Amino acid sequence: LPSDDEKKRLSNLQAEIELRKKHYDSVLDKLRTEETRTLQLVLPNRYRLRGQARVYPIAVEILLPEERA
């Protein structure tokens, strides 16, 4: 049977998982809203004002530490 410390640790981990899930869901909702706003409001207005929409590529580089044997 799990000890009280193990039960408390498991409870804390479950609470952290729930907190992170809520946070990620909130961020995902905000991103969806921003995507809709950008595609329906921002870009069409910019296109009308300047005559063309410009899209610039964005890159994300993730560097991980090297494994050492």
Short mmCIF file of all heavy atoms in Angstrom, two decimals:
data_model
loop_
_atom_site.label_atom_id
_atom_site.label_comp_id
_atom_site.label_asym_id
_atom_site.label_seq_id
_atom_site.Cartn_x
_atom_site.Cartn_y
_atom_site.Cartn_z
N LEU A 1 0.83 -1.20 0.00
CA LEU A 1 0.00 0.00 0.00
C LEU A 1 0.87 1.25 0.00
O LEU A 1 1.90 1.30 0.65
CB LEU A 1 -0.90 0.01 1.24
CG LEU A 1 -1.97 -1.09 1.32
CD1 LEU A 1 -2.62 -1.05 2.68
CD2 LEU A 1 -2.97 -0.98 0.23
N PRO A 2 0.42 2.29 -0.71
CA PRO A 2 1.22 3.53 -0.76
C PRO A 2 1.20 4.25 0.59
O PRO A 2 0.20 4.26 1.29
CB PRO A 2 0.55 4.37 -1.83
CG PRO A 2 -0.68 3.66 -2.25
CD PRO A 2 -0.72 2.34 -1.59
N SER A 3 2.33 4.85 0.92
CA SER A 3 2.42 5.61 2.17
C SER A 3 1.73 6.97 1.99
O SER A 3 1.34 7.36 0.89
CB SER A 3 3.89 5.83 2.54
OG SER A 3 4.50 6.70 1.60
N ASP A 4 1.59 7.68 3.12
CA ASP A 4 0.96 9.00 3.07
C ASP A 4 1.77 9.97 2.21
O ASP A 4 1.19 10.79 1.48
CB ASP A 4 0.82 9.57 4.49
CG ASP A 4 -0.27 8.86 5.28
OD1 ASP A 4 -1.11 8.18 4.64
OD2 ASP A 4 -0.28 8.98 6.51
N ASP A 5 3.09 9.88 2.28
CA ASP A 5 3.94 10.75 1.45
C ASP A 5 3.73 10.46 -0.03
O ASP A 5 3.66 11.38 -0.85
CB ASP A 5 5.41 10.57 1.80
CG ASP A 5 5.78 11.19 3.14
OD1 ASP A 5 5.03 12.08 3.59
OD2 ASP A 5 6.81 10.79 3.71
N GLU A 6 3.63 9.20 -0.39
CA GLU A 6 3.41 8.82 -1.79
C GLU A 6 2.04 9.29 -2.27
O GLU A 6 1.90 9.76 -3.40
CB GLU A 6 3.56 7.32 -1.97
CG GLU A 6 5.00 6.83 -1.82
CD GLU A 6 5.09 5.31 -1.81
OE1 GLU A 6 4.11 4.64 -1.41
OE2 GLU A 6 6.15 4.80 -2.21
N LYS A 7 1.04 9.17 -1.41
CA LYS A 7 -0.30 9.64 -1.77
C LYS A 7 -0.31 11.15 -1.98
O LYS A 7 -0.91 11.66 -2.92
CB LYS A 7 -1.30 9.27 -0.68
CG LYS A 7 -1.65 7.80 -0.63
CD LYS A 7 -2.63 7.52 0.50
CE LYS A 7 -2.91 6.04 0.63
NZ LYS A 7 -3.79 5.74 1.76
N LYS A 8 0.39 11.87 -1.09
CA LYS A 8 0.46 13.32 -1.20
C LYS A 8 1.20 13.72 -2.48
O LYS A 8 0.77 14.62 -3.21
CB LYS A 8 1.16 13.91 0.01
CG LYS A 8 1.20 15.42 0.01
CD LYS A 8 1.83 15.96 1.28
CE LYS A 8 1.84 17.47 1.23
NZ LYS A 8 2.46 18.05 2.41
N ARG A 9 2.30 13.04 -2.78
CA ARG A 9 3.07 13.33 -4.00
C ARG A 9 2.22 13.08 -5.24
O ARG A 9 2.20 13.88 -6.17
CB ARG A 9 4.34 12.49 -4.03
CG ARG A 9 5.23 12.78 -5.21
CD ARG A 9 6.55 12.02 -5.11
NE ARG A 9 7.41 12.34 -6.22
CZ ARG A 9 7.37 11.76 -7.41
NH1 ARG A 9 6.50 10.80 -7.64
NH2 ARG A 9 8.19 12.11 -8.38
N LEU A 10 1.49 11.96 -5.25
CA LEU A 10 0.62 11.64 -6.39
C LEU A 10 -0.48 12.68 -6.54
O LEU A 10 -0.77 13.12 -7.65
CB LEU A 10 0.02 10.24 -6.21
CG LEU A 10 -0.90 9.75 -7.32
CD1 LEU A 10 -0.16 9.72 -8.65
CD2 LEU A 10 -1.46 8.39 -6.99
N SER A 11 -1.04 13.10 -5.43
CA SER A 11 -2.08 14.13 -5.46
C SER A 11 -1.52 15.44 -6.01
O SER A 11 -2.17 16.11 -6.83
CB SER A 11 -2.65 14.34 -4.06
OG SER A 11 -3.57 15.39 -4.05
N ASN A 12 -0.32 15.81 -5.58
CA ASN A 12 0.32 17.03 -6.08
C ASN A 12 0.59 16.94 -7.58
O ASN A 12 0.40 17.91 -8.31
CB ASN A 12 1.61 17.31 -5.33
CG ASN A 12 1.37 17.79 -3.92
OD1 ASN A 12 0.28 18.21 -3.57
ND2 ASN A 12 2.40 17.68 -3.08
N LEU A 13 1.05 15.78 -8.03
CA LEU A 13 1.32 15.60 -9.46
C LEU A 13 0.03 15.68 -10.28
O LEU A 13 0.01 16.29 -11.35
CB LEU A 13 2.02 14.26 -9.71
CG LEU A 13 3.47 14.17 -9.23
CD1 LEU A 13 3.99 12.75 -9.37
CD2 LEU A 13 4.35 15.15 -9.99
N GLN A 14 -1.03 15.10 -9.76
CA GLN A 14 -2.32 15.16 -10.47
C GLN A 14 -2.83 16.60 -10.54
O GLN A 14 -3.36 17.03 -11.56
CB GLN A 14 -3.34 14.24 -9.80
CG GLN A 14 -3.06 12.78 -10.05
CD GLN A 14 -3.97 11.86 -9.24
OE1 GLN A 14 -4.46 12.23 -8.19
NE2 GLN A 14 -4.18 10.66 -9.76
N ALA A 15 -2.65 17.35 -9.46
CA ALA A 15 -3.07 18.75 -9.44
C ALA A 15 -2.24 19.56 -10.45
O ALA A 15 -2.78 20.42 -11.16
CB ALA A 15 -2.91 19.33 -8.04
N GLU A 16 -0.95 19.27 -10.54
CA GLU A 16 -0.10 19.98 -11.50
C GLU A 16 -0.51 19.65 -12.93
O GLU A 16 -0.56 20.53 -13.79
CB GLU A 16 1.37 19.61 -11.29
CG GLU A 16 2.29 20.38 -12.20
CD GLU A 16 3.75 20.11 -11.94
OE1 GLU A 16 4.09 19.51 -10.91
OE2 GLU A 16 4.56 20.50 -12.79
N ILE A 17 -0.83 18.40 -13.19
CA ILE A 17 -1.29 18.01 -14.53
C ILE A 17 -2.57 18.75 -14.89
O ILE A 17 -2.70 19.28 -16.00
CB ILE A 17 -1.50 16.48 -14.61
CG1 ILE A 17 -0.15 15.76 -14.60
CG2 ILE A 17 -2.29 16.09 -15.86
CD1 ILE A 17 -0.25 14.25 -14.46
N GLU A 18 -3.51 18.84 -13.98
CA GLU A 18 -4.76 19.56 -14.23
C GLU A 18 -4.50 21.04 -14.49
O GLU A 18 -5.08 21.63 -15.40
CB GLU A 18 -5.71 19.41 -13.04
CG GLU A 18 -6.60 18.20 -13.11
CD GLU A 18 -7.46 18.17 -14.37
OE1 GLU A 18 -8.14 19.17 -14.70
OE2 GLU A 18 -7.43 17.14 -15.04
N LEU A 19 -3.63 21.64 -13.69
CA LEU A 19 -3.30 23.05 -13.86
C LEU A 19 -2.67 23.30 -15.23
O LEU A 19 -3.05 24.23 -15.94
CB LEU A 19 -2.35 23.50 -12.75
CG LEU A 19 -1.94 24.96 -12.77
CD1 LEU A 19 -3.15 25.85 -12.49
CD2 LEU A 19 -0.86 25.21 -11.73
N ARG A 20 -1.73 22.44 -15.61
CA ARG A 20 -1.08 22.60 -16.92
C ARG A 20 -2.07 22.39 -18.05
O ARG A 20 -2.04 23.10 -19.05
CB ARG A 20 0.08 21.63 -17.06
CG ARG A 20 1.28 22.02 -16.23
CD ARG A 20 2.42 21.06 -16.42
NE ARG A 20 3.52 21.39 -15.55
CZ ARG A 20 4.79 21.28 -15.90
NH1 ARG A 20 5.10 20.84 -17.09
NH2 ARG A 20 5.74 21.60 -15.06
N LYS A 21 -2.96 21.41 -17.92
CA LYS A 21 -3.95 21.15 -18.96
C LYS A 21 -4.87 22.37 -19.14
O LYS A 21 -5.14 22.78 -20.26
CB LYS A 21 -4.78 19.91 -18.63
CG LYS A 21 -5.75 19.53 -19.73
CD LYS A 21 -6.50 18.27 -19.38
CE LYS A 21 -7.47 17.83 -20.44
NZ LYS A 21 -8.04 18.81 -21.31
N LYS A 22 -5.32 22.95 -18.03
CA LYS A 22 -6.16 24.14 -18.11
C LYS A 22 -5.42 25.29 -18.78
O LYS A 22 -5.98 26.01 -19.60
CB LYS A 22 -6.64 24.56 -16.71
CG LYS A 22 -7.70 23.65 -16.14
CD LYS A 22 -8.11 24.10 -14.74
CE LYS A 22 -9.09 23.11 -14.12
NZ LYS A 22 -9.44 23.48 -12.76
N HIS A 23 -4.14 25.45 -18.42
CA HIS A 23 -3.34 26.51 -19.01
C HIS A 23 -3.19 26.29 -20.51
O HIS A 23 -3.38 27.23 -21.30
CB HIS A 23 -1.96 26.57 -18.35
CG HIS A 23 -1.02 27.51 -19.01
ND1 HIS A 23 -1.14 28.87 -18.91
CD2 HIS A 23 0.04 27.29 -19.81
CE1 HIS A 23 -0.19 29.45 -19.62
NE2 HIS A 23 0.55 28.50 -20.17
N TYR A 24 -2.84 25.08 -20.93
CA TYR A 24 -2.66 24.80 -22.36
C TYR A 24 -3.97 24.96 -23.12
O TYR A 24 -3.97 25.48 -24.24
CB TYR A 24 -2.09 23.40 -22.57
CG TYR A 24 -0.68 23.22 -22.02
CD1 TYR A 24 -0.29 22.02 -21.47
CD2 TYR A 24 0.24 24.27 -22.05
CE1 TYR A 24 1.00 21.86 -20.96
CE2 TYR A 24 1.51 24.11 -21.54
CZ TYR A 24 1.89 22.91 -21.00
OH TYR A 24 3.16 22.74 -20.50
N ASP A 25 -5.08 24.54 -22.53
CA ASP A 25 -6.38 24.73 -23.18
C ASP A 25 -6.69 26.22 -23.34
O ASP A 25 -7.20 26.65 -24.38
CB ASP A 25 -7.49 24.04 -22.38
CG ASP A 25 -7.43 22.53 -22.47
OD1 ASP A 25 -6.76 22.01 -23.40
OD2 ASP A 25 -8.06 21.86 -21.63
N SER A 26 -6.37 27.00 -22.32
CA SER A 26 -6.59 28.44 -22.38
C SER A 26 -5.74 29.08 -23.48
O SER A 26 -6.23 29.90 -24.27
CB SER A 26 -6.26 29.07 -21.03
OG SER A 26 -6.28 30.47 -21.11
N VAL A 27 -4.48 28.70 -23.55
CA VAL A 27 -3.59 29.24 -24.58
C VAL A 27 -4.08 28.82 -25.97
O VAL A 27 -4.09 29.63 -26.90
CB VAL A 27 -2.14 28.78 -24.35
CG1 VAL A 27 -1.25 29.10 -25.55
CG2 VAL A 27 -1.58 29.41 -23.09
N LEU A 28 -4.51 27.58 -26.11
CA LEU A 28 -5.01 27.10 -27.40
C LEU A 28 -6.24 27.89 -27.83
O LEU A 28 -6.37 28.27 -29.00
CB LEU A 28 -5.32 25.61 -27.33
CG LEU A 28 -5.69 24.91 -28.63
CD1 LEU A 28 -4.58 25.06 -29.67
CD2 LEU A 28 -5.97 23.45 -28.37
N ASP A 29 -7.15 28.16 -26.91
CA ASP A 29 -8.33 28.97 -27.22
C ASP A 29 -7.93 30.38 -27.67
O ASP A 29 -8.48 30.91 -28.64
CB ASP A 29 -9.27 29.07 -26.02
CG ASP A 29 -10.01 27.77 -25.76
OD1 ASP A 29 -10.08 26.92 -26.67
OD2 ASP A 29 -10.53 27.60 -24.63
N LYS A 30 -6.97 30.98 -26.96
CA LYS A 30 -6.52 32.32 -27.34
C LYS A 30 -5.88 32.31 -28.73
O LYS A 30 -6.08 33.23 -29.52
CB LYS A 30 -5.52 32.85 -26.31
CG LYS A 30 -6.16 33.24 -25.01
CD LYS A 30 -5.14 33.72 -24.00
CE LYS A 30 -5.80 33.97 -22.66
NZ LYS A 30 -4.83 34.36 -21.64
N LEU A 31 -5.11 31.27 -29.03
CA LEU A 31 -4.48 31.17 -30.34
C LEU A 31 -5.53 31.01 -31.45
O LEU A 31 -5.39 31.61 -32.52
CB LEU A 31 -3.50 30.01 -30.38
CG LEU A 31 -2.19 30.22 -29.62
CD1 LEU A 31 -1.40 28.92 -29.58
CD2 LEU A 31 -1.38 31.32 -30.26
N ARG A 32 -6.56 30.23 -31.19
CA ARG A 32 -7.63 30.07 -32.18
C ARG A 32 -8.34 31.40 -32.43
O ARG A 32 -8.63 31.77 -33.57
CB ARG A 32 -8.62 29.02 -31.71
CG ARG A 32 -8.10 27.61 -31.84
CD ARG A 32 -9.16 26.60 -31.42
NE ARG A 32 -8.62 25.25 -31.51
CZ ARG A 32 -8.82 24.31 -30.61
NH1 ARG A 32 -9.58 24.55 -29.55
NH2 ARG A 32 -8.30 23.12 -30.76
N THR A 33 -8.61 32.12 -31.35
CA THR A 33 -9.27 33.42 -31.48
C THR A 33 -8.38 34.38 -32.26
O THR A 33 -8.85 35.10 -33.14
CB THR A 33 -9.57 34.00 -30.08
OG1 THR A 33 -10.42 33.10 -29.38
CG2 THR A 33 -10.23 35.36 -30.17
N GLU A 34 -7.10 34.40 -31.94
CA GLU A 34 -6.16 35.29 -32.63
C GLU A 34 -6.01 34.91 -34.10
O GLU A 34 -5.90 35.78 -34.96
CB GLU A 34 -4.81 35.27 -31.92
CG GLU A 34 -3.81 36.26 -32.47
CD GLU A 34 -4.24 37.71 -32.34
OE1 GLU A 34 -5.15 38.02 -31.55
OE2 GLU A 34 -3.66 38.54 -33.05
N GLU A 35 -6.02 33.62 -34.39
CA GLU A 35 -5.94 33.18 -35.79
C GLU A 35 -7.14 33.71 -36.58
O GLU A 35 -6.99 34.26 -37.67
CB GLU A 35 -5.91 31.65 -35.87
CG GLU A 35 -5.91 31.12 -37.29
CD GLU A 35 -6.02 29.62 -37.36
OE1 GLU A 35 -6.74 29.02 -36.51
OE2 GLU A 35 -5.41 29.02 -38.25
N THR A 36 -8.33 33.55 -36.02
CA THR A 36 -9.54 34.03 -36.68
C THR A 36 -9.49 35.54 -36.86
O THR A 36 -9.77 36.06 -37.95
CB THR A 36 -10.78 33.64 -35.86
OG1 THR A 36 -10.82 32.22 -35.74
CG2 THR A 36 -12.06 34.11 -36.53
N ARG A 37 -9.11 36.26 -35.83
CA ARG A 37 -9.03 37.72 -35.89
C ARG A 37 -8.03 38.16 -36.97
O ARG A 37 -8.33 39.04 -37.77
CB ARG A 37 -8.61 38.28 -34.53
CG ARG A 37 -8.62 39.81 -34.47
CD ARG A 37 -8.00 40.31 -33.17
NE ARG A 37 -6.57 40.20 -33.17
CZ ARG A 37 -5.73 41.06 -33.77
NH1 ARG A 37 -6.20 42.10 -34.41
NH2 ARG A 37 -4.43 40.88 -33.71
N THR A 38 -6.89 37.51 -36.99
CA THR A 38 -5.86 37.89 -37.96
C THR A 38 -6.31 37.62 -39.38
O THR A 38 -6.16 38.48 -40.26
CB THR A 38 -4.55 37.13 -37.67
OG1 THR A 38 -4.12 37.45 -36.35
CG2 THR A 38 -3.46 37.50 -38.66
N LEU A 39 -6.87 36.44 -39.61
CA LEU A 39 -7.26 36.08 -40.97
C LEU A 39 -8.48 36.84 -41.46
O LEU A 39 -8.60 37.11 -42.66
CB LEU A 39 -7.51 34.57 -41.05
CG LEU A 39 -6.28 33.69 -40.88
CD1 LEU A 39 -6.67 32.21 -40.88
CD2 LEU A 39 -5.25 33.97 -41.95
N GLN A 40 -9.39 37.20 -40.56
CA GLN A 40 -10.62 37.85 -40.99
C GLN A 40 -10.59 39.37 -40.87
O GLN A 40 -11.27 40.06 -41.62
CB GLN A 40 -11.80 37.29 -40.20
CG GLN A 40 -12.08 35.85 -40.51
CD GLN A 40 -13.23 35.28 -39.71
OE1 GLN A 40 -13.84 35.97 -38.90
NE2 GLN A 40 -13.54 34.02 -39.93
N LEU A 41 -9.79 39.91 -39.97
CA LEU A 41 -9.80 41.36 -39.75
C LEU A 41 -8.49 42.04 -40.15
O LEU A 41 -8.50 43.03 -40.86
CB LEU A 41 -10.11 41.67 -38.28
CG LEU A 41 -11.46 41.17 -37.77
CD1 LEU A 41 -11.57 41.43 -36.27
CD2 LEU A 41 -12.59 41.84 -38.52
N VAL A 42 -7.38 41.53 -39.67
CA VAL A 42 -6.11 42.22 -39.86
C VAL A 42 -5.61 42.13 -41.30
O VAL A 42 -5.36 43.15 -41.94
CB VAL A 42 -5.04 41.68 -38.89
CG1 VAL A 42 -3.69 42.30 -39.17
CG2 VAL A 42 -5.45 41.94 -37.45
N LEU A 43 -5.47 40.92 -41.81
CA LEU A 43 -4.93 40.77 -43.17
C LEU A 43 -5.80 41.41 -44.25
O LEU A 43 -5.27 42.10 -45.12
CB LEU A 43 -4.66 39.30 -43.48
CG LEU A 43 -3.43 38.72 -42.80
CD1 LEU A 43 -3.28 37.25 -43.13
CD2 LEU A 43 -2.17 39.48 -43.18
N PRO A 44 -7.12 41.22 -44.23
CA PRO A 44 -7.92 41.89 -45.26
C PRO A 44 -7.77 43.41 -45.23
O PRO A 44 -7.69 44.05 -46.28
CB PRO A 44 -9.35 41.47 -44.95
CG PRO A 44 -9.22 40.16 -44.25
CD PRO A 44 -7.95 40.31 -43.43
N ASN A 45 -7.71 44.00 -44.06
CA ASN A 45 -7.54 45.45 -43.95
C ASN A 45 -6.17 45.89 -44.46
O ASN A 45 -6.05 46.90 -45.14
CB ASN A 45 -7.76 45.92 -42.52
CG ASN A 45 -9.21 45.83 -42.12
OD1 ASN A 45 -10.10 45.86 -42.96
ND2 ASN A 45 -9.46 45.69 -40.82
N ARG A 46 -5.15 45.14 -44.15
CA ARG A 46 -3.81 45.48 -44.64
C ARG A 46 -3.77 45.36 -46.16
O ARG A 46 -3.13 46.16 -46.84
CB ARG A 46 -2.76 44.57 -44.02
CG ARG A 46 -2.42 44.94 -42.62
CD ARG A 46 -1.25 44.15 -42.12
NE ARG A 46 -0.98 44.51 -40.73
CZ ARG A 46 -0.12 43.90 -39.97
NH1 ARG A 46 0.58 42.88 -40.45
NH2 ARG A 46 0.07 44.28 -38.74
N TYR A 47 -4.42 44.34 -46.67
CA TYR A 47 -4.43 44.14 -48.12
C TYR A 47 -5.10 45.33 -48.80
O TYR A 47 -4.63 45.84 -49.80
CB TYR A 47 -5.15 42.84 -48.46
CG TYR A 47 -5.18 42.53 -49.93
CD1 TYR A 47 -4.08 42.00 -50.57
CD2 TYR A 47 -6.33 42.79 -50.68
CE1 TYR A 47 -4.10 41.72 -51.92
CE2 TYR A 47 -6.36 42.51 -52.04
CZ TYR A 47 -5.24 41.98 -52.66
OH TYR A 47 -5.27 41.71 -53.99
N ARG A 48 -6.20 45.80 -48.25
CA ARG A 48 -6.91 46.95 -48.82
C ARG A 48 -6.08 48.22 -48.74
O ARG A 48 -6.06 49.01 -49.65
CB ARG A 48 -8.23 47.17 -48.09
CG ARG A 48 -9.35 46.35 -48.68
CD ARG A 48 -10.67 46.73 -48.07
NE ARG A 48 -11.20 45.48 -47.53
CZ ARG A 48 -11.55 45.27 -46.28
NH1 ARG A 48 -11.51 46.23 -45.41
NH2 ARG A 48 -11.99 44.11 -45.89
N LEU A 49 -5.36 48.40 -47.65
CA LEU A 49 -4.59 49.63 -47.48
C LEU A 49 -3.34 49.68 -48.35
O LEU A 49 -3.02 50.70 -48.92
CB LEU A 49 -4.18 49.78 -46.01
CG LEU A 49 -5.31 50.07 -45.03
CD1 LEU A 49 -4.77 50.06 -43.60
CD2 LEU A 49 -5.94 51.42 -45.33
N ARG A 50 -2.64 48.59 -48.48
CA ARG A 50 -1.35 48.61 -49.16
C ARG A 50 -1.38 48.00 -50.56
O ARG A 50 -0.39 48.04 -51.25
CB ARG A 50 -0.32 47.85 -48.33
CG ARG A 50 -0.06 48.52 -47.00
CD ARG A 50 1.03 47.82 -46.25
NE ARG A 50 1.20 48.46 -44.96
CZ ARG A 50 2.17 48.21 -44.15
NH1 ARG A 50 3.08 47.32 -44.47
NH2 ARG A 50 2.26 48.82 -43.00
N GLY A 51 -2.46 47.36 -50.92
CA GLY A 51 -2.54 46.76 -52.24
C GLY A 51 -2.09 45.33 -52.29
O GLY A 51 -2.37 44.63 -53.25
N GLN A 52 -1.37 44.86 -51.29
CA GLN A 52 -0.96 43.46 -51.25
C GLN A 52 -0.61 43.06 -49.82
O GLN A 52 -0.21 43.88 -49.02
CB GLN A 52 0.23 43.21 -52.18
CG GLN A 52 1.48 43.98 -51.79
CD GLN A 52 2.62 43.67 -52.71
OE1 GLN A 52 2.79 42.53 -53.12
NE2 GLN A 52 3.39 44.67 -53.07
N ALA A 53 -0.78 41.78 -49.56
CA ALA A 53 -0.41 41.25 -48.25
C ALA A 53 0.96 40.59 -48.37
O ALA A 53 1.23 39.89 -49.34
CB ALA A 53 -1.43 40.23 -47.78
N ARG A 54 1.81 40.86 -47.41
CA ARG A 54 3.13 40.24 -47.42
C ARG A 54 3.21 39.24 -46.29
O ARG A 54 2.78 39.53 -45.17
CB ARG A 54 4.19 41.31 -47.24
CG ARG A 54 4.23 42.27 -48.39
CD ARG A 54 5.41 43.20 -48.26
NE ARG A 54 5.46 44.07 -49.43
CZ ARG A 54 5.47 45.37 -49.38
NH1 ARG A 54 5.45 45.98 -48.21
NH2 ARG A 54 5.50 46.08 -50.48
N VAL A 55 3.75 38.09 -46.60
CA VAL A 55 3.91 37.04 -45.59
C VAL A 55 5.39 36.72 -45.48
O VAL A 55 6.05 36.46 -46.48
CB VAL A 55 3.11 35.77 -45.98
CG1 VAL A 55 3.32 34.68 -44.96
CG2 VAL A 55 1.64 36.10 -46.16
N TYR A 56 5.89 36.80 -44.29
CA TYR A 56 7.30 36.51 -44.06
C TYR A 56 7.41 35.20 -43.27
O TYR A 56 6.70 34.99 -42.29
CB TYR A 56 7.95 37.64 -43.26
CG TYR A 56 7.92 38.96 -43.99
CD1 TYR A 56 6.93 39.89 -43.73
CD2 TYR A 56 8.85 39.23 -44.97
CE1 TYR A 56 6.89 41.10 -44.42
CE2 TYR A 56 8.82 40.43 -45.67
CZ TYR A 56 7.84 41.36 -45.38
OH TYR A 56 7.80 42.54 -46.05
N PRO A 57 8.31 34.32 -43.70
CA PRO A 57 8.46 33.05 -42.99
C PRO A 57 9.06 33.27 -41.60
O PRO A 57 9.86 34.18 -41.40
CB PRO A 57 9.40 32.25 -43.87
CG PRO A 57 10.14 33.26 -44.67
CD PRO A 57 9.22 34.44 -44.83
N ILE A 58 8.63 32.45 -40.70
CA ILE A 58 9.16 32.49 -39.33
C ILE A 58 9.70 31.11 -39.02
O ILE A 58 9.06 30.10 -39.33
CB ILE A 58 8.05 32.86 -38.32
CG1 ILE A 58 7.54 34.26 -38.61
CG2 ILE A 58 8.56 32.75 -36.90
CD1 ILE A 58 6.40 34.68 -37.73
N ALA A 59 10.86 31.06 -38.44
CA ALA A 59 11.46 29.78 -38.08
C ALA A 59 11.69 29.73 -36.59
O ALA A 59 11.95 30.74 -35.94
CB ALA A 59 12.79 29.59 -38.81
N VAL A 60 11.59 28.54 -36.06
CA VAL A 60 11.88 28.31 -34.65
C VAL A 60 13.00 27.28 -34.59
O VAL A 60 12.90 26.21 -35.18
CB VAL A 60 10.65 27.78 -33.89
CG1 VAL A 60 11.02 27.45 -32.45
CG2 VAL A 60 9.53 28.79 -33.94
N GLU A 61 14.06 27.62 -33.91
CA GLU A 61 15.18 26.71 -33.77
C GLU A 61 15.25 26.28 -32.32
O GLU A 61 15.29 27.11 -31.41
CB GLU A 61 16.48 27.39 -34.18
CG GLU A 61 17.67 26.49 -34.12
CD GLU A 61 18.95 27.19 -34.59
OE1 GLU A 61 18.89 28.35 -35.02
OE2 GLU A 61 20.00 26.55 -34.55
N ILE A 62 15.26 24.98 -32.12
CA ILE A 62 15.34 24.43 -30.76
C ILE A 62 16.67 23.71 -30.64
O ILE A 62 16.96 22.80 -31.40
CB ILE A 62 14.18 23.45 -30.50
CG1 ILE A 62 12.85 24.19 -30.64
CG2 ILE A 62 14.33 22.83 -29.11
CD1 ILE A 62 11.65 23.30 -30.55
N LEU A 63 17.48 24.14 -29.69
CA LEU A 63 18.78 23.54 -29.46
C LEU A 63 18.71 22.71 -28.19
O LEU A 63 18.35 23.20 -27.12
CB LEU A 63 19.84 24.61 -29.33
CG LEU A 63 20.01 25.54 -30.54
CD1 LEU A 63 21.00 26.64 -30.22
CD2 LEU A 63 20.45 24.76 -31.75
N LEU A 64 19.07 21.45 -28.32
CA LEU A 64 19.08 20.55 -27.18
C LEU A 64 20.51 20.26 -26.79
O LEU A 64 21.39 20.20 -27.66
CB LEU A 64 18.36 19.25 -27.52
CG LEU A 64 16.89 19.41 -27.96
CD1 LEU A 64 16.34 18.06 -28.41
CD2 LEU A 64 16.06 19.96 -26.83
N PRO A 65 20.77 20.06 -25.51
CA PRO A 65 22.14 19.74 -25.11
C PRO A 65 22.57 18.40 -25.68
O PRO A 65 21.76 17.49 -25.85
CB PRO A 65 22.08 19.71 -23.58
CG PRO A 65 20.64 19.52 -23.25
CD PRO A 65 19.86 20.08 -24.39
N GLU A 66 23.85 18.31 -26.01
CA GLU A 66 24.37 17.06 -26.55
C GLU A 66 24.44 16.02 -25.45
O GLU A 66 24.72 16.32 -24.30
CB GLU A 66 25.77 17.29 -27.13
CG GLU A 66 25.82 18.19 -28.33
CD GLU A 66 27.23 18.34 -28.87
OE1 GLU A 66 28.06 17.46 -28.62
OE2 GLU A 66 27.47 19.35 -29.53
N GLU A 67 24.21 14.78 -25.87
CA GLU A 67 24.36 13.68 -24.90
C GLU A 67 25.83 13.30 -24.81
O GLU A 67 26.53 13.26 -25.81
CB GLU A 67 23.54 12.47 -25.35
CG GLU A 67 22.06 12.66 -25.20
CD GLU A 67 21.31 11.37 -25.48
OE1 GLU A 67 21.87 10.29 -25.25
OE2 GLU A 67 20.16 11.47 -25.94
N ARG A 68 26.25 13.06 -23.63
CA ARG A 68 27.65 12.64 -23.43
C ARG A 68 27.65 11.20 -22.97
O ARG A 68 26.87 10.81 -22.09
CB ARG A 68 28.32 13.53 -22.41
CG ARG A 68 28.42 14.95 -22.87
CD ARG A 68 29.17 15.79 -21.91
NE ARG A 68 29.23 17.16 -22.42
CZ ARG A 68 29.72 18.15 -21.76
NH1 ARG A 68 30.23 17.96 -20.56
NH2 ARG A 68 29.76 19.36 -22.28
N ALA A 69 28.54 10.43 -23.53
CA ALA A 69 28.62 9.01 -23.18
C ALA A 69 29.30 8.79 -21.87
O ALA A 69 29.98 9.52 -21.30
CB ALA A 69 29.35 8.24 -24.28
#
